[in-house]
Amino acid sequence: MNVRSWLKKTKATIPSLDTELILAYVLGVDRVFFVSHDLDELTPEQESAADELAKKRADHVPLSYLTNYKEFYGRGFFVNESVLIPRPETEEIIDLVKELNPHKIVDIGTGSGCIAITLKAELPETEVCAYDISEAALEVAAHNAAKIGVKLDTLAISDLTNAAGLDDADVIVANLPYVNPNWDFLSPEIKKEPSLALFTDDNGLSLIKRLIDELKTKDYHGYLILESDISQQPDIIKYAEAAEFKHQKTVELITLFKR
């Protein structure tokens, strides 16, 4: 089967762009390759590999897990089923932190490391420490730090702040699990991502509230940046302000506090 025939066949089952990206990944080429090579014959191995990925995509496995790639803030990150796929809306955290001119950033729940690594790349003189409860996620973050060429000051396991070094930190960022599994608007794709990185109880607020409680107990004074669903933000602001974290601003899914 040639390239054109495979693309035509597969576009009947999954989106056109995904079809092209899957075949480009298998062949190790850019999509523009197909313009002048659409009659190239696929080897049986290439066709089989592409068919398998297309089958998984039709079963709602996110494309980023199939190609192990997702761009974030202009850099390419490795992702697999152990970490949440970076979202464009999370990039707003980077812009907010850069405005604060911090000297030490702590990233709680780093996942793929996209936030911490990007901040270290953008602010190389700033101390950046990243923590996650998942050893598998920390392995992905370490891989991404090496891939992108930055050295995080700390990359370690921690259940929220229990083992995190908060001394002298002036910015804490946290993109914690905040999804209620009972929300009726969840896509089939999101349900393929790791539940540990997505779901929690109390309408998705359990871990965010626990983080706020821990920071109050540890007498943390500085900025706190949280990602959440827009519908949750009034409750988060109310809870945070009761813990003396004053709401500074909200930009789409991102909320900034200071204590």
Side-chain angles (χ1 to χ4, degrees), residues 48 61 213 257:
S48 176
V61 176
D213 291 342
F257 300 91

Side-chain angles (χ1 to χ4, degrees), residues 104-106 108 127 129 131 154 158 161-169:
K104 180 178 177 180
I105 302 163
V106 173
I108 303 294
E127 183 178 353
C129 303
Y131 302 92
T154 302
S158 180
T161 67
N162 77 326
L166 303 183
D167 292 346
D168 300 323

Side-chain angles (χ1 to χ4, degrees), residues 204-247:
L205 297 179
S206 176
L207 288 176
I208 289 175
K209 288 180 176 179
R210 191 179 133 206
L211 174 63
I212 291 169
D213 291 342
E214 290 183 12
L215 294 177
K216 182 179 180 181
T217 300
K218 292 174 182 286
D219 202 28
Y220 167 73
H221 289 272
Y223 290 99
L224 172 62
I225 300 176
L226 301 170
E227 179 172 325
S228 67
D229 188 74
I230 291 173
S231 66
Q232 299 167 316
Q233 290 170 352
D235 288 336
I236 292 171
I237 291 169
K238 181 178 179 180
Y239 196 87
E241 291 195 329
E244 302 173 357
F245 282 91
K246 186 176 180 180
H247 177 227

Side-chain angles (χ1 to χ4, degrees), residues 25 53 61-72 75-88 110-115 117-118 136-145 147-148 192-194 197:
Y25 171 73
L53 293 180
V61 176
L63 181 67
S64 292
Y65 288 157
L66 301 179
T67 62
N68 298 122
Y69 178 87
K70 182 66 177 179
E71 185 173 298
F72 182 82
R75 297 176 178 89
F77 283 80
F78 172 87
V79 294
N80 62 19
E81 290 84 351
S82 298
V83 297
L84 195 69
I85 298 169
R87 265 68 169 179
T110 196
S112 66
C114 64
I115 295 173
I117 292 166
T118 300
L138 290 174
E139 290 177 5
V140 173
H143 176 84
N144 278 321
K147 177 177 182 284
I148 290 170
K192 298 289 186 178
E193 297 188 63

Side-chain angles (χ1 to χ4, degrees), residues 12-102:
T13 60
I14 62 174
S16 177
L17 178 59
D18 290 359
T19 300
E20 294 179 10
L21 289 172
I22 284 172
L23 189 57
Y25 171 73
V26 168
L27 299 183
V29 300
D30 190 90
R31 286 169 56 221
V32 297
F33 174 87
F34 301 141
V35 174
S36 56
H37 294 266
D38 62 328
L39 296 180
D40 285 11
E41 289 293 323
L42 299 175
T43 68
E45 293 77 16
Q46 289 170 336
E47 185 177 346
S48 176
D51 283 343
E52 181 63 24
L53 293 180
K55 181 180 178 182
K56 290 180 179 180
R57 184 68 191 98
D59 192 36
H60 304 294
V61 176
L63 181 67
S64 292
Y65 288 157
L66 301 179
T67 62
N68 298 122
Y69 178 87
K70 182 66 177 179
E71 185 173 298
F72 182 82
Y73 213 80
R75 297 176 178 89
F77 283 80
F78 172 87
V79 294
N80 62 19
E81 290 84 351
S82 298
V83 297
L84 195 69
I85 298 169
R87 265 68 169 179
E89 49 267 32
T90 304
E91 294 180 355
E92 189 61 46
I93 290 177
I94 308 303
D95 293 331
L96 277 176
V97 173
K98 288 167 69 174
E99 293 175 4
L100 301 176
N101 297 313

